Amino acid sequence: METRQLEYFVAVAEELSFTRAAQRLFATQSTVSATIRALETDLGATLFDRSTRRVALSTAGALLLPEAKAALESVERAREVVQQASAGLRGSLRIGTLTSMNAFDLPVLLGAFHRRHPLVDLHLTVSLTGSSGLAEDIRHGRLDVALLGLSRAELGGLDATQLASVPYYAVLPDSHPLAGHESVRLPELDGELFVDCPRGFGNRLAVDREFAARGLSRRVAAEVADLRTVPRYVAAGLGVAVLPGTARLGIPGVVAIPVAETSLTWPLTVVVSAKRPPSQALRTLLELFVSAAAEEDITEF
């Protein structure tokens, strides 16, 4: 049994697709299929139930999966220990972040990390499906670490460290009846049309949940994947918005007013898998994130 065979098996088991596994492994589908067949021959067992419509783990495959993951993690830890002893931190880190995350300067932080640890390759991914998509990527092993904004209840299977708690603002046209208020209560926005991010974005989930808990109604008339542009759509008259950390808009025709409910905050959180022990490179990067957040008063998204 070879390490490569186990890597291919885990990829297919997590993706439940030979095509997606091949894309993830940067290999051809025929290579992945041949490797899995060789592993099945070596073990004398069928690991996947295959049909023209679906791929599913067999009983033997389900039993092998946690053992294969543990074996790969042991190999990676052994490689890491040897490499650190000979030449400092090595390896690669797959980092996920949001399209609109400006809470701190991520390029500057990663630049500092690279200067200290030039043998660690950094692969940055921006999520187009929001915090929920990043969380799923961590759970399925497609990312090593991610910066996102989800509540604790939505972080099952993840090891999370909250870096900041960002307040929400009502973003209103300057002609809105509430535009001159010092603060806005959510019931005052009951029944309004809204501009918001798509479902799955952490800020959208939080606001939807808060309105539902209070028995308030709202209809999202326009969905925008880049949170930074939402105020421009508010200025265009498509609705109002409730967004985290928009104290300094600088957009004509729009005002940002603090939401009175202090319980509604956006958590900036760094997450890793709770099932896979972090490498030394990952632990070092996590320490850098925590240190950077402690040095700044983060009130902006």
Side-chain angles (χ1 to χ4, degrees):
M1 190 184 305
E2 300 176 0
T3 301
R4 184 173 67 95
Q5 291 176 320
L6 294 180
E7 290 174 345
Y8 280 38
F9 165 72
V10 169
V12 176
E14 291 181 339
E15 300 293 343
L16 292 179
S17 165
F18 282 83
T19 300
R20 290 194 298 272
Q23 293 170 346
R24 170 173 158 181
L25 294 163
F26 300 101
T28 64
Q29 185 171 336
S30 60
T31 299
V32 175
S33 297
T35 302
I36 297 300
R37 284 196 299 270
L39 179 59
E40 290 176 325
T41 299
D42 184 37
L43 295 174
T46 299
L47 301 176
F48 295 99
D49 296 325
R50 305 166 176 84
S51 71
T52 56
R53 293 186 176 181
R54 62 190 291 269
V55 174
L57 279 167
S58 67
T59 301
L63 291 173
L64 176 61
L65 183 57
E67 302 297 332
K69 287 183 176 181
L72 291 173
E73 288 165 1
S74 295
V75 169
E76 183 58 32
R77 284 197 299 273
R79 181 182 294 115
E80 178 187 315
V81 168
V82 173
Q83 290 175 340
Q84 288 175 26
S86 61
L89 287 184
R90 287 178 177 265
S92 65
L93 292 174
R94 298 164 298 170
I95 305 162
T97 187
L98 299 164
T99 57
S100 308
M101 208 284 294
N102 294 315
F104 51 61
D105 199 329
L106 188 57
V108 168
L109 285 179
L110 295 183
F113 181 89
H114 174 69
R115 286 191 295 276
R116 296 173 197 168
H117 311 290
L119 299 179
V120 179
D121 295 329
L122 303 177
H123 305 277
L124 189 64
T125 298
V126 176
S127 173
L128 298 179
T129 55
S131 291
S132 296
L134 290 171
E136 282 301 298
D137 285 340
I138 294 287
R139 292 187 183 101
H140 287 89
R142 292 186 286 265
L143 290 174
D144 299 307
V145 59
L147 292 162
L148 47 75
L150 292 174
S151 69
R152 287 281 179 181
E154 295 154 335
L155 296 176
L158 302 176
D159 186 357
T161 301
Q162 184 167 318
L163 303 178
S165 183
V166 180
Y168 275 78
Y169 292 79
V171 180
L172 310 171
D174 58 11
S175 59
H176 194 280
L178 299 173
H181 289 210
E182 292 185 0
S183 65
V184 172
R185 296 185 305 109
L186 293 184
E188 294 177 292
L189 301 177
D190 187 26
E192 293 267 10
L193 292 180
F194 278 78
V195 182
D196 211 331
C197 298
R199 297 182 187 276
F201 280 60
N203 58 294
R204 169 73 180 270
L205 290 170
V207 175
D208 281 348
R209 184 169 52 244
E210 193 71 19
F211 268 72
R214 293 167 177 264
L216 304 175
S217 65
R218 75 180 192 128
R219 182 166 70 87
V220 177
E223 291 186 344
V224 184
D226 188 343
L227 184 143
R228 291 169 298 185
T229 66
V230 170
R232 295 181 59 194
Y233 289 88
V234 172
L238 289 172
V240 301
V242 175
L243 302 175
T246 53
R248 297 188 294 270
L249 287 176
I251 298 176
V254 176
V255 296
I257 302 173
V259 171
E261 287 80 0
T262 57
S263 61
L264 182 61
T265 59
W266 181 83
L268 172 61
T269 304
V270 59
V271 301
V272 298
S273 173
K275 299 179 180 179
R276 296 185 298 275
S279 66
Q280 182 59 44
L282 180 52
R283 288 194 295 270
T284 302
L285 181 61
L286 290 174
E287 291 171 1
L288 180 61
F289 283 151
V290 172
S291 175
E295 293 175 0
E296 298 188 31
D297 180 20
I298 298 176
T299 59
E300 293 291 314
F301 181 70

